[in-house]
């Protein structure tokens, strides 16, 4: 009964993290700004860190099943 919310949360976090990493990678490959008004290095680093964190959180949720 408790695995339902864990599956939903894991899927949501994993999908968001993967999409954020894919979007950041596409922006970097096209040399487009990731965040306007912010240093490119800072925005790429923080966005990639957030994407990896959400992906890891999703994997952790799936591990709790």
């Amino acid at each position: 009964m408790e695995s339902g919310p864990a599956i939903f949360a894991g899927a949501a976090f994993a999908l968001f993290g993967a999409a954020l990493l894919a979007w950041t990678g596409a922006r970097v490959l096209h040399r487009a700004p990731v965040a306007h008004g912010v240093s490119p290095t800072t925005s790429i680093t923080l966005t990639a860190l957030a994407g990896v964190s959400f992906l890891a959180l999703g994997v952790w949720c799936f591990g709790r099943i």
Side-chain angles (χ1 to χ4, degrees):
M1 195 59 129
E2 295 175 0
S3 64
I7 292 170
F8 176 76
F13 284 131
L15 285 174
F16 181 73
L20 188 59
L21 287 173
W23 178 81
T24 303
R27 299 293 288 182
V28 169
L29 285 176
H30 291 128
R31 298 191 192 281
V34 175
H36 294 287
V38 182
S39 164
T41 306
T42 304
S43 62
I44 291 168
T45 303
L46 289 177
T47 308
L49 183 65
V52 169
S53 298
F54 277 109
L55 198 56
L57 189 58
V59 169
W60 179 78
C61 286
F62 283 132
R64 303 286 294 170
I65 297 175

